[in-house]
Structure formats: structure tokens, C-alpha cells
Amino acid sequence: MLRTFETHNIRKETELSGKVWEFTGLENEQKDTKLQVVVPSCWESYAGFESYRGKCLYETVFEAEGDVKIEFKGVSHGATVFVDDKEMISHYDAYTPFDIIVKALEKGEHSLKVIVDNSFKEDYSLNKSNDYMSYGGINRGVVLQNISKVYITNTYVTPIEKVGDLWKAKIEILVNNISDKDQEIQIISKVESNEFSTGKVIAKVGKSKVFEEIIEFKNLESWNVESPKLYKIISQLSINGIVCDDLVDRVGFRTVKIKGKQILINDRPVLIKGFNRHEDHPHFCSALPMSAMAYDLGLIKDMGGNSVRTSHYPNDEIFLDLCDEMGILVWEESHARSMKEEHMRRPLFQQHSLESIENMITNHYNHPSIYIWAILNECASETEFGRELYKGQLELIRKLDKSRPCSFATCKYNIDICLDLPDVICWNMYPYWYEEKTADQMIREIHDYTMENCQRKEIPFMITEIGAGAIYGFRSSDNDKWTEEYQCYALENQIKEVLAFEDCMGVYIWQFCDIRVSKEYFAHRPRTRNNKGIVDEYRKPKLAYDTVKKAFTSYGNYWE
Ligand code: ADA
């Protein structure tokens, strides 16, 4: 399963995941241990590799001829790829796709080998022992495609406005010409009965944008939380009048705007009732199948949630497809959690961060469920050095996408020096848990500091993390912390007080489910798990499930 819809009708593609691959441990006592494993998967779900940190080898074979592209949707967290024992690419960072192009393959069987490495090291600059698990493996899909000498890489749709029954949108089409000379091509695109053409255009050698126009679309419904209407944009590319490639993507017609203290979805001020969610599961690790993703989203909707924050990295495209289809708004953020200045000073940190941002936006641009891009969760936004990196990363987001706001979540109470940079101000806070304060006290203090430093009279303000821990099954009437009862008490007051604060437009609960964390976090993480889930790691609901459901379902999706 690569997406919830077919992305090609003409380009031939073969899924290389969804079957058994050969697997070999390359280090430690697991060296030369051989298994047969299904990809996508994480090796922490293989017997004997539950806590393995280091390199492993995945191998498979594929039939092909001619020019091919092999796309990896995610490999955690470093990959070196070989085709017929020739090294093709080394890629770092688990959470965004990358691909290789292999030209002029002889007809027949070819080998594909991937050395995967989930160790912590300076060059893997976005990873460290952390309050989430950095798994190892080919944790997302792998697909082989036969490509023509010019093929379509992206068709970007940016909804602009709805005028009467017309939706105006900017269309950009990008291609890759892998031949050795410029080629004359034509691309015809359709969205329902709306059709438009590039006319004959020249595709220069390499990657280029061959089309950019504002198009008026007739008879299309808008996308929104209650009615998430989606449409396919089907583009076919021809050379000398012969259709040789296509790309099918999916879009939703909606706009995201900021107005005063609100974020507007199709001109309506949205009330965010969200959950932070890690890609984590005791059986699947970070390689959750679609049915497990859908199960999580079903619980989130059942609790009255209307948004998910992809804490703390870009998510699998299949998950975003489901959010598009189920009308669940997404805060998507690039990969970073609680990186101090020393980590942000790693030589490759900013390069890897910018790559994570660029890959996130260029691959996920058309998902209507994504309403905001974010960066650097609780990183060094209290330092001048950190500020420069925050600035550079937010500038890249604004360059790549002017249709969505950008932000970051901070916990640097009264010392954050970056509050003038984002479009939306977002704080993580833990009253009733880490702080012996009420949520009302904390949010007023934080909001006062925000308004003294954000350099705007009005700005959307949100709480992006709030919650409390509870060990599933630990029940007691003494209301001690870690009991399910105390978690209910904390969340009931946190949600009530935060959403009662007149300048707060939304809240994300930390967090949807209990998750595995790095071993080094054992000290204040009973079970070596982050236990602030509303459900445990097996999705068994804690008492707080009904508390959150009662609170969230008492609000609508909009402040009006
Ligand atoms: C921080 C962090 C989360 C998680 C949370 C907690 O806000 O952003 O990833 O670690 O604290 O559980 O304390």
C-alpha cells in the first residue's frame, strides 16, 4: 500500500514493498543473523532485534528493463542503496521520501540492497536519544517505476478563492527530463470536467517547471472538516503526440488564512481540538499499516478531535491521505525534538533540517488537511544562535508555500527570543503536571509574555501540548499522579481553562497514545514509555478517554 488512491494509470509501477525481503544483522551479537521479513517494517519488531542499534541489510530482487525510478517512502534513519551491487545513493532522515534513477537496465532480474542504520551519531544530526523511539528499518513503502525520458514529478494545486461556483487555483507542473537534450512535450490535465493544457512546451534537461497558470474550475465543492470533498488532478504527458507518462494526484479546494487572532479555513475561524500523535505501535513500531492508522484516526474522531499534530516529524503519506478523506486537519512539522544549542550546532543540523522541510512540503503540498507547517519543537529558540536557524527554516517554508501559515511549538517560558518570527504563536505547557499551577494561571502568564515579544497587536495563539501521565490500570481514589483518575482531573481542567481563555484558538493534547522512548529516558518514563496517552500503546482507552470525549464534543469545529 503506497497511497489510498492510484497515482498512475499509464506509468508502469511495481510495489517492491508488501512482500518478504531477506534481512541480515550487520553488527553486535546479531551480526550475520538472517531473517525473512516483510517490508515495510522495523527491525525492533523482529525477534532478537527489539533494541538493536546499528546497521542491518535488506535485500530483494526485481524484474525491469530500461530507465527506472525506485522511490523509498521512508527509511529509518540512514540508508545506503545498491542496485546490482553498485552504490546509488546515501540518504539520511527517516520521515520523507527519496528516489534513485537507474538508466538502461538490461531486461531481466536485478538486485536491490539497502544498508539501514539507526545509530545515534553526529552526522545523523536530527536524531539523538529522545522522548520518542528512533526505530530502524525500511519503515514505509518502496516502489519501482518505469519512466519515460521526460516524466511528471509534481502537479501543485494552490486554491486561491471561490467566486460564485468557480474555484480559482494556481496550477504548477514540474517535470524531469533525464535525456541528454531538451525535449518538446505537451501535458493535458483534468479535474473532473475541467481540462487545460500546457500546449507544446520545451522541457530542458533535468528538473524544471513547465507550467504555471491560474485556472478557474467549474462545479467543484469545497473541502472542509465536515465535508472533505476531494478531486483527482489527472495529468498526461506526451512527446511527439505519443502519451508516455502520467501523474494522478489528489486535491481539496480550501483556503487557509490568518485574521486577527484566528486561523480561517474557507473564511471560517477554526477551533482546533487536537491530539499529538507519534507514529508508534507495539507491534508495528513506526511502520503502521493503513488499517492501524485508520483505527487511530477513528478514535480521535470519536473523541471529538478535528486535528492531529505530527509530533515531531513528517508523517507517512498514507496517513495524510486518510486525514484528507476523513476531514482531520493536520499540523505537520519537520523532524526535530528538544534539540539544544549544542545539537543545533552540529555541522549538518541546518542542512538536514532544511532538507526535511523541503522534502515535507514538496511531497505533501497538495494535502488539503495540512493547514500549517511547523519546525523545531522545543529547540533552542532562547538563543541567538538558535534564532538564526529558526529564521532560516521559516524563510524556507514561506518561500516554498505562501498558502499556509508557519509556526513552531516552544516551551521557553519568558526567555523565548523568536516569538516575532512565526505566523501563529504556539506553546507547550504542563500545568497540573510538571508545574503546580492551574492552566488558567500558566496561559495568562505565557500570553502576556507572548504579546510583549511577538511584535504584533493580534496573532493566533494556541496550546500545542498539554496533558498528564497515567499508567494504564493504575487506579486509586487518592488522586495521585500517574493514576488514571489524576489524568482525568488534570485534562478536564486543562481543556476547560485553555479553551475558556479568550485569546486561545485551539489546543493539542499530549498525547494520543503511550509510546516507546529511548532507553536513556527510563528515569522519568515508567516502562520506558511516555505514558501521557489517552489510550495506552495497544490503544486500550484509559479513564481520560471519556473525559476528553466529553470536553471536545461539547465544542464545535469553529469559533462562531
Ligand atoms: C515536550 C515534548 C514532547 C514530550 C512532552 C512530555 O513538550 O515536546 O515530545 O516529550 O514534553 O511528555 O514531557
Side-chain angles (χ1 to χ4, degrees):
M1 185 91 194
L2 298 163
R3 300 291 298 272
T4 63
F5 62 96
E6 290 303 323
T7 54
H8 300 281
N9 300 310
I10 292 166
R11 189 185 306 177
K12 181 173 178 288
E13 68 175 10
T14 308
E15 184 175 355
L16 299 183
S17 42
K19 66 175 187 178
V20 170
W21 290 40
E22 301 302 320
F23 173 86
T24 307
L26 298 181
E27 294 177 299
N28 314 329
E29 61 270 18
Q30 291 87 351
K31 184 170 170 46
D32 298 330
T33 300
K34 292 188 177 301
L35 301 170
Q36 290 193 308
V37 300
V38 170
V39 165
S41 62
C42 300
W43 58 60
E44 289 85 355
S45 63
Y46 311 159
F49 286 81
E50 294 83 354
S51 295
Y52 182 88
R53 272 221 183 276
K55 291 189 178 74
C56 293
L57 171 65
Y58 287 85
E59 299 175 85
T60 190
V61 294
F62 61 91
E63 295 284 336
E65 179 182 13
D67 300 338
V68 301
K69 173 159 77 85
I70 298 175
E71 180 176 359
F72 294 86
K73 299 290 187 179
V75 180
S76 187
H77 33 253
T80 305
V81 179
F82 302 81
V83 172
D84 296 336
D85 294 323
K86 179 172 175 280
E87 183 174 332
M88 304 302 293
I89 191 172
S90 257
H91 177 271
Y92 163 68
D93 203 22
Y95 303 108
T96 49
F98 65 96
D99 61 46
I100 57 172
I101 289 172
V102 192
K103 295 170 101 171
L105 276 177
E106 292 287 318
K107 182 176 172 52
E109 186 177 271
H110 299 273
S111 86
L112 176 62
K113 295 179 180 178
V114 187
I115 295 176
V116 183
D117 185 352
N118 77 336
S119 53
F120 292 133
K121 52 189 176 185
E122 180 102 334
D123 282 0
Y124 285 178
S125 64
L126 306 179
N127 286 88
K128 65 181 174 84
S129 163
N130 222 324
D131 197 17
Y132 65 96
M133 189 68 184
S134 304
Y135 291 102
I138 302 180
N139 62 319
R140 296 180 185 168
V142 184
V143 61
L144 166 78
Q145 296 179 346
N146 289 78
I147 49 174
S148 54
K149 56 188 168 191
V150 184
Y151 66 92
I152 304 170
T153 58
N154 303 87
T155 52
Y156 291 130
V157 178
T158 307
I160 298 169
E161 62 176 339
K162 186 170 169 58
V163 180
D165 71 347
L166 286 181
W167 258 106
K168 287 171 72 173
K170 180 174 72 172
I171 307 296
E172 300 166 274
I173 302 178
L174 288 75
V175 300
N176 189 14
N177 175 355
I178 61 170
S179 74
D180 55 7
K181 61 183 185 337
D182 294 356
Q183 302 283 342
E184 184 182 85
I185 65 169
Q186 178 167 2
I187 297 171
I188 294 174
S189 300
K190 283 183 71 172
V191 178
E192 296 291 293
S193 60
N194 301 276
E195 184 172 300
F196 54 93
S197 168
T198 61
K200 288 191 166 62
V201 290
I202 296 299
K204 294 192 172 307
V205 173
K207 292 188 175 183
S208 66
K209 184 190 295 187
V210 294
F211 183 79
E212 178 174 337
E213 269 189 35
I214 291 178
I215 304 283
E216 291 190 348
F217 294 90
K218 297 186 184 65
N219 307 322
L220 298 182
E221 293 173 42
S222 304
W223 185 96
N224 59 49
V225 170
E226 291 86 5
S227 58
K229 184 68 181 167
L230 294 167
Y231 295 96
K232 289 182 181 173
I233 175 166
I234 301 169
S235 299
Q236 295 189 348
L237 180 149
S238 56
I239 301 175
N240 302 324
I242 298 167
V243 175
C244 57
D245 188 58
D246 72 333
L247 176 62
V248 179
D249 203 346
R250 208 166 58 176
V251 296
F253 287 83
R254 61 98 186 90
T255 57
V256 185
K257 293 176 192 161
I258 283 179
K259 187 178 176 190
K261 305 173 190 174
Q262 300 291 352
I263 295 178
L264 309 181
I265 306 283
N266 287 340
D267 299 323
R268 297 179 71 189
V270 68
L271 190 175
I272 294 291
K273 304 178 288 177
F275 291 85
N276 286 276
R277 176 181 176 275
H278 269 288
E279 292 178 333
D280 191 284
H281 192 285
H283 296 149
F284 310 114
C285 304
S286 59
L288 284 81
M290 187 190 74
S291 56
M293 296 174 185
Y295 187 86
D296 288 357
L297 290 169
L299 294 183
I300 285 168
K301 289 202 84 156
D302 179 60
M303 283 189 271
N306 61 11
S307 187
V308 171
R309 175 176 178 228
T310 67
S311 50
H312 298 292
Y313 37 73
N315 271 204
D316 191 317
E317 278 191 305
I318 298 172
F319 182 77
L320 301 173
D321 287 341
L322 292 172
C323 291
D324 293 340
E325 291 170 17
M326 297 170 74
I328 294 175
L329 294 167
V330 175
W331 158 305
E332 190 165 47
E333 61 186 30
S334 56
H335 181 200
R337 180 202 170 272
S338 305
M339 303 301 261
K340 297 179 173 46
E341 181 171 345
E342 62 181 280
H343 302 114
M344 295 182 80
R345 284 185 177 277
R346 286 174 168 176
L348 294 171
F349 182 85
Q350 188 66 346
Q351 176 194 320
H352 286 155
S353 296
L354 296 172
E355 285 168 0
S356 177
I357 291 163
E358 176 139 20
N359 286 333
M360 172 176 73
I361 294 176
T362 53
N363 285 287
H364 298 166
Y365 187 88
N366 283 340
H367 289 281
S369 56
I370 300 173
Y371 74 101
I372 191 167
W373 302 113
I375 60 172
L376 296 174
N377 174 74
E378 296 191 354
C379 295
S381 55
E382 79 284 11
T383 69
E384 287 301 336
F385 177 82
R387 178 181 167 84
E388 289 312 302
L389 273 56
Y390 273 80
K391 271 171 72 175
Q393 294 186 29
L394 292 172
E395 277 164 13
L396 178 59
I397 291 180
R398 292 184 171 117
K399 175 173 158 257
L400 294 172
D401 184 357
K402 295 172 176 54
S403 72
R404 294 175 172 99
C406 56
S407 186
F408 59 86
T410 180
C411 65
K412 310 297 184 189
Y413 309 131
N414 300 332
I415 54 172
D416 198 298
I417 60 170
C418 294
L419 296 179
D420 59 314
L421 300 177
D423 298 324
V424 181
I425 301 285
C426 300
W427 287 90
N428 299 341
M429 63 177 205
Y430 287 88
Y432 298 100
W433 188 252
Y434 295 132
E435 310 276 344
E436 289 308 326
K437 290 181 180 176
T438 66
D440 187 61
Q441 282 170 314
M442 277 197 84
I443 199 168
R444 290 184 185 283
E445 289 165 7
I446 286 172
H447 187 260
D448 289 348
Y449 178 77
T450 296
M451 297 320 290
E452 288 156 16
N453 293 278
C454 73
Q455 297 178 17
R456 277 150 290 185
K457 284 197 176 8
E458 284 191 317
I459 188 166
F461 176 95
M462 206 163 27
I463 298 301
T464 23
E465 289 183 28
I466 195 165
I471 306 295
Y472 180 84
F474 179 33
R475 306 288 300 279
S476 164
S477 56
D478 61 15
N479 219 28
D480 272 349
K481 287 185 176 173
W482 294 115
T483 61
E484 290 191 43
E485 287 85 354
Y486 184 84
Q487 187 187 39
C488 291
Y489 161 76
L491 278 161
E492 182 180 358
N493 288 294
Q494 289 166 339
I495 296 170
K496 180 176 63 183
E497 294 170 29
V498 159
L499 292 183
F501 183 64
E502 63 279 7
D503 292 330
C504 180
M505 55 146 290
V507 63
Y508 283 93
I509 290 171
W510 186 273
Q511 65 176 324
F512 168 69
C513 68
D514 293 349
I515 59 163
R516 187 174 174 185
V517 300
S518 300
K519 281 191 175 310
E520 297 75 7
Y521 263 71
F522 75 94
H524 50 298
R525 290 284 180 270
R527 313 186 302 137
T528 317
R529 296 295 181 277
N530 182 307
N531 297 283
K532 297 188 184 70
I534 305 305
V535 297
D536 77 354
E537 61 270 31
Y538 292 95
R539 278 62 176 172
K540 292 185 292 185
K542 302 176 186 174
L543 285 177
Y545 185 99
D546 289 337
T547 301
V548 171
K549 180 170 181 175
K550 182 165 180 268
F552 272 2
T553 51
S554 68
Y555 293 89
N557 292 314
Y558 300 96
W559 291 105
E560 60 190 0

